[in-house]
């Protein structure tokens, strides 16, 4: 899975850790129904590691990053084509994303299995 530490100030303070699946669509609102921090987008996401889509293989450094795809669905199905995607490095503070926790640090955990909110 993927551990995401979402933070208030460039990964220095106000961080909350979440664990999400790799290579499987998810809706953060369904995965974390009791999260009251509003830290996530409403849109479905798919985090791909390592890249298996030939179209994106050239972009991906298999050891140091993953691809995050966004979809126009909100029910955990990732229906239709991705609306956007980003290459995200592991072990680096990246952002800004949207408020209230615009910064994040990402790391691999528990192999490639679904984990839960921490």
């Amino acid at each position: 899975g993927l551990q995401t530490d979402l933070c208030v100030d460039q990964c220095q303070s106000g961080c909350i850790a979440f664990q999400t699946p790799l290579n499987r669509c998810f809706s953060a609102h369904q995965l974390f129904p009791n999260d009251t921090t509003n830290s996530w987008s409403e849109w479905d996401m798919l985090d791909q590691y390592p890249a298996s889509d030939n179209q994106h293989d050239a972009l991906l450094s298999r050891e140091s990053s993953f691809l995050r795809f966004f979809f126009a669905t909100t029910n955990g199905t990732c229906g239709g084509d991705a609306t956007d995607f980003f290459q995200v490095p592991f072990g680096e503070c990246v952002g800004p994303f949207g408020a209230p926790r615009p910064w994040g640090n990402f790391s691999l955990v528990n192999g490639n299995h679904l984990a839960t909110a921490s």
Side-chain angles (χ1 to χ4, degrees), residues 8-24:
V8 173
D9 185 22
Q10 295 190 2
C11 304
Q12 299 299 313
S13 65
C15 299
I16 299 177
F18 297 90
Q19 291 186 10
T20 56
L22 283 169
N23 303 315
R24 193 175 89 203

Side-chain angles (χ1 to χ4, degrees), residues 1-2 7-8 17-18 23 25-26 29-30 36-37 64 83 91 98 109:
L2 182 71
C7 306
V8 173
F18 297 90
N23 303 315
C25 180
F26 69 94
H29 292 284
Q30 289 180 349
T36 59
T37 65
S64 62
T83 57
V109 292

Side-chain angles (χ1 to χ4, degrees), residues 3-103:
Q3 176 158 326
T4 302
D5 298 320
L6 296 177
C7 306
V8 173
D9 185 22
Q10 295 190 2
C11 304
Q12 299 299 313
S13 65
C15 299
I16 299 177
F18 297 90
Q19 291 186 10
T20 56
L22 283 169
N23 303 315
R24 193 175 89 203
C25 180
F26 69 94
S27 162
H29 292 284
Q30 289 180 349
L31 197 58
F32 309 113
N34 298 321
D35 174 35
T36 59
T37 65
N38 295 316
S39 297
W40 292 91
S41 164
E42 66 182 292
W43 308 112
D44 289 348
M45 290 176 261
L46 173 68
D47 294 331
Q48 188 177 67
Y49 177 84
S52 59
D53 181 344
N54 290 333
Q55 177 182 358
H56 303 294
D57 277 348
L59 297 174
L60 189 69
S61 170
R62 291 182 182 274
E63 299 302 318
S64 62
S65 61
F66 66 97
L67 295 176
R68 173 163 282 180
F69 294 88
F70 294 91
F71 295 82
T73 50
T74 59
N75 58 2
T77 62
C78 293
D81 292 332
T83 57
D84 207 351
F85 77 94
F86 297 94
Q87 182 176 0
V88 183
F90 292 119
E92 295 179 27
C93 186
V94 294
F97 313 121
R101 289 183 168 71
W103 299 92

Side-chain angles (χ1 to χ4, degrees), residues 95-112:
F97 313 121
R101 289 183 168 71
W103 299 92
N105 193 355
F106 302 86
S107 57
L108 290 172
V109 292
N110 299 329
N112 193 15

